[in-house]
Amino acid sequence: MTTTPSGIPGTADDSAELLPIATGARTRAALRTLIRPDRGRAILGLGVLVGATALGLLVQPLLGRIVDIVADGRPADALTLPVVLLLVVAVVQGVTTTLGLTQVARLGETVLARLREQFIERALQLPADRLERAGAGDLTARVTGDVARVAEAVRSALPEMARSVLAIVLTLGAMALLDVRFLLAALLAVPVQALTARWYVRRAVTVYADQRVANGAQQQQLLETIGGAVTVRGHRLEEQHTEKSAARSRRAVELTMRSVHLVLGFYARLHIAEYIGLAAVLVTGFFLVRDGSVSIGTATAAALYFHSLFGPVNAALVLLDDAQSAAAGLARLVGVTDLKESAVRLPQQRTGSTSAAAVTVDAVSHAYGPGRTVLHEVSLTLRAGEHVALVGTSGAGKSTLARLVAGVQQPTGGTVSVAEGKTAPSVVLVTQEVHVFTGTLAEDLRLARPDATDADLRTALAIVHALEWAEALPEGLATVVGEGGHRLDPARAQQLALARLVLADPPVAVLDEATAEAGSAGARTLERSAEAALAGRTALVVAHRLTQAVAADRIVVLEAGRVVESGTHDELRTADGPYATLWHAWSGSRAAPHL
């Protein structure tokens, strides 16, 4: 079960639909599921830590024994055995503690890696419009800040918390073995500590959750301002965007200061508990020694036991700060990994591969929010091997329909069915916005087919007329491209994307203005690359230039989210309808190619 937070006034856009945050119960259940495959390691690590902590509890009785030897005036050689035992305990405890903490740390890193994989898997499957509604800042804050918080807790807080809790439990047990009255005296500090923890947790959960949302809103505003800097300056909106960024930064700082004051109050209350507990143990020891119930060494051991609790008790309670912060981050990560399958599934409903229809769009509608419907009950069938061009003015819904067919978004109404193919994936989308991943050219290409040989890569590049420039690179296929590597111009990056399409070899391909660079010097080459990549496939092409429409088997004209015409180029050109108007405008003027 997940809950979706509303926007926080002054920090987030109230119209943003943030990604869900998991409830506490669901977060704990998800954590148990993540740990379950490594139960053996968890048990081993816990067992070793228990042994190491129990062994360390021998230090206080040995020190008490030394006190009794000195108090009784016994010979100096009587100190040899307890001193030697202290050294042995220190060495063995150090070794076993290291082994135990190593196991716990490995467990934590394994669980964190598993969580990261699930998060990335779900995030990549989210429909594009869902991410747009949430805003890039929300997802960025989760994949950076929240993951960092959880990672920090796993690497430091988790092992320390495990050791501290074990030390507390076993030390209290050891005090009871000395004399149960020492334990009762020590427990006087517990009510203050418990109330402190309760006071802190009740406030920390809200503060840290709000702080995460505020940080996400701050990042979103910065991304929008920096990403649109040219537009901001062009419209003289610098002051407005600066004020928005400042307001969201102030909110983030305000919540940070609230967390600081919370921590200061937390420590102040802990010091009071320590004073109460230690005073009670010392007073109890005084009366027990005076009555002859225990020796001075035993009372010393009890006081040392309680004093040794300062570290683990304070560590455990202080780690509540890290734990609450990490828990808030974990809930935000689980909120994404735990999204229902219906929220991330591909919209295609697979049908038999023998169907003559490769793609069937049945009464599909789509809206990006209330009052923002862009498609109205569109129906369309693509026959196997058919190339269909989508044409229409800007805002007609072409790209939205293309993304629905490709499966990166879900329709809000109707269905999209794709015939089952022999390869996976069945549909591949290539858009105008192509990303060149950092790595060698070969690695970039193998993202589409990891088992592809170098010969396969060269064949795919040759098909899209890119082999010549690829082999001319400084190190050929081994040349590092992407961020920090060899820079590919937009046309070559598009050819790289088309080569990945060839390697993936889907039965259905969707091109959303994938040859927009055809206005460059390499226009014809890029168009030929697209034609070659689509050969033998069913294709839906959002036509950037009407020359692409001319080459298609069929043209579908969209207007205001509805299909208004369908036919071949010759049929529509002579029909004196919307397409004819577009064709005459495009063919009669060089200024009208952008549709």
Side-chain angles (χ1 to χ4, degrees):
M1 178 179 180
T2 57
T3 58
T4 303
S6 60
I8 296 178
T11 65
D13 185 352
D14 292 337
S15 64
E17 184 184 333
L18 299 182
L19 294 169
I21 298 176
T23 62
R26 181 57 206 142
T27 302
R28 290 189 292 273
L31 189 57
R32 288 194 295 271
T33 301
L34 289 168
I35 293 175
R36 189 172 295 122
D38 295 284
R39 288 191 301 265
R41 177 172 287 167
I43 293 171
L44 175 62
L46 184 62
V48 174
L49 281 180
V50 168
T53 305
L55 186 64
L57 295 178
L58 295 175
V59 171
Q60 288 82 358
L62 288 172
L63 291 175
R65 178 61 178 167
I66 291 174
V67 170
D68 282 338
I69 290 173
V70 174
D72 294 341
R74 298 177 60 184
D77 57 2
L79 296 173
T80 303
L81 180 59
V83 169
V84 171
L85 290 176
L86 281 173
L87 292 174
V88 172
V89 167
V91 172
V92 177
Q93 185 189 22
V95 172
T96 52
T97 299
T98 300
L99 291 175
L101 291 177
T102 299
Q103 291 300 318
V104 173
R106 285 180 179 173
L107 172 66
E109 290 292 345
T110 302
V111 170
L112 180 61
R114 194 172 292 131
L115 176 64
R116 278 196 184 112
E117 291 170 2
Q118 292 182 5
F119 180 86
I120 294 299
E121 179 182 2
R122 284 296 194 206
L124 290 176
Q125 292 175 349
L126 284 173
D129 57 333
R130 182 67 183 87
L131 288 177
E132 289 169 1
R133 292 198 305 272
D138 185 31
L139 187 63
T140 301
R142 296 184 192 224
V143 80
T144 54
D146 292 325
V147 168
R149 288 281 184 174
V150 175
E152 182 181 354
V154 163
R155 291 168 184 149
S156 57
L158 177 62
E160 186 62 27
M161 176 70 85
R163 191 162 68 99
S164 296
V165 170
L166 287 173
I168 292 168
V169 172
L170 295 178
T171 300
L172 291 175
M175 291 184 72
L177 290 177
L178 292 178
D179 192 297
V180 71
R181 287 168 287 190
F182 285 125
L183 174 61
L184 295 176
L187 292 179
L188 290 177
V190 172
V192 178
Q193 292 167 335
L195 289 173
T196 298
R198 184 170 180 269
W199 172 85
Y200 175 77
V201 169
R202 290 179 63 181
R203 288 161 176 77
V205 171
T206 302
V207 169
Y208 285 117
D210 290 351
Q211 192 176 9
R212 293 291 171 274
V213 174
N215 288 339
Q218 182 187 34
Q219 288 192 34
Q220 176 67 27
Q221 183 61 47
L222 292 174
L223 287 171
E224 291 177 353
T225 300
I226 295 172
V230 174
T231 303
V232 170
R233 288 195 296 269
H235 290 274
R236 297 294 187 268
L237 298 174
E238 295 94 336
E239 185 175 343
Q240 295 179 27
H241 275 259
T242 300
E243 178 55 34
K244 286 182 179 180
S245 299
R248 295 186 178 184
S249 296
R250 283 194 297 269
R251 177 61 175 172
V253 170
E254 175 189 339
L255 289 169
T256 300
M257 292 309 300
R258 281 177 57 187
S259 67
V260 170
H261 289 300
L262 193 64
V263 171
L264 291 177
F266 177 68
Y267 278 113
R269 287 166 173 78
L270 286 185
H271 293 326
I272 294 173
E274 291 173 358
Y275 174 80
I276 292 173
L278 184 57
V281 170
L282 290 174
V283 170
T284 301
F286 169 77
F287 284 109
L288 292 178
V289 170
R290 190 184 67 175
D291 295 341
S293 301
V294 298
S295 67
I296 296 176
T298 301
T300 302
L304 290 173
Y305 269 138
F306 187 82
H307 189 272
S308 70
L309 283 176
F310 285 8
V313 168
N314 286 347
L317 293 178
V318 167
L319 287 173
L320 284 175
D321 181 60
D322 294 334
Q324 291 303 315
S325 181
L330 182 61
R332 284 162 56 81
L333 296 176
V334 173
V336 174
T337 64
D338 200 41
L339 280 171
K340 292 182 179 179
E341 190 67 24
S342 61
V344 296
R345 71 175 186 272
L346 296 180
Q348 294 94 329
Q349 299 173 352
R350 303 298 181 187
T351 62
S353 60
T354 59
S355 172
V359 178
T360 301
V361 179
D362 185 16
V364 162
S365 297
H366 191 74
Y368 288 101
R372 297 176 59 196
T373 302
V374 293
L375 292 177
H376 305 270
E377 296 187 352
V378 173
S379 294
L380 177 66
T381 299
L382 276 68
R383 296 183 296 275
E386 184 181 26
H387 290 186
V388 174
L390 282 180
V391 172
T393 57
S394 179
K398 305 184 300 296
S399 293
T400 298
L401 181 57
R403 291 198 287 184
L404 293 177
V405 171
V408 298
Q409 287 183 202
Q410 289 181 298
T412 53
T415 60
V416 177
S417 302
V418 178
E420 188 68 59
K422 296 181 180 179
T423 60
S426 295
V427 185
V428 167
L429 170 68
V430 180
T431 69
Q432 179 181 356
E433 299 175 357
V434 175
H435 182 73
V436 178
F437 294 88
T438 300
T440 66
L441 182 63
E443 291 171 341
D444 200 303
L445 288 166
R446 286 194 176 96
L447 291 171
R449 202 173 96 202
D451 62 345
T453 64
D454 284 353
D456 294 329
L457 303 185
R458 290 189 174 88
T459 298
L461 289 168
I463 289 174
V464 299
H465 310 288
L467 183 59
E468 183 177 351
W469 65 255
E471 290 187 328
L473 292 174
E475 297 179 57
L477 294 179
T479 302
V480 175
V481 295
E483 189 71 26
H486 187 88
R487 182 178 177 82
L488 299 182
D489 62 45
R492 289 184 174 182
Q494 198 65 259
Q495 285 183 307
L496 180 59
L498 291 170
R500 288 199 293 252
L501 169 65
V502 172
L503 287 167
D505 196 23
V508 179
V510 178
L511 269 59
D512 184 4
E513 297 191 353
T515 58
E517 283 298 318
S520 64
R524 185 53 192 157
T525 298
L526 193 54
E527 285 190 348
R528 286 194 303 121
S529 297
E531 291 172 7
L534 296 178
R537 312 181 202 284
T538 304
L540 181 65
V541 179
V542 176
H544 176 75
R545 294 163 56 89
L546 288 188
T547 50
Q548 297 172 278
V550 173
D553 299 319
R554 181 159 51 100
I555 299 169
V556 173
V557 182
L558 287 181
E559 197 170 274
R562 292 180 171 86
V563 175
V564 294
E565 279 189 309
S566 178
T568 65
H569 167 70
D570 290 335
E571 291 170 346
L572 298 182
R573 184 170 59 86
T574 59
D576 198 25
Y579 179 78
T581 302
L582 289 171
W583 174 256
H584 291 313
W586 184 84
S587 60
S589 172
R590 291 180 179 270
H594 298 287
L595 301 174

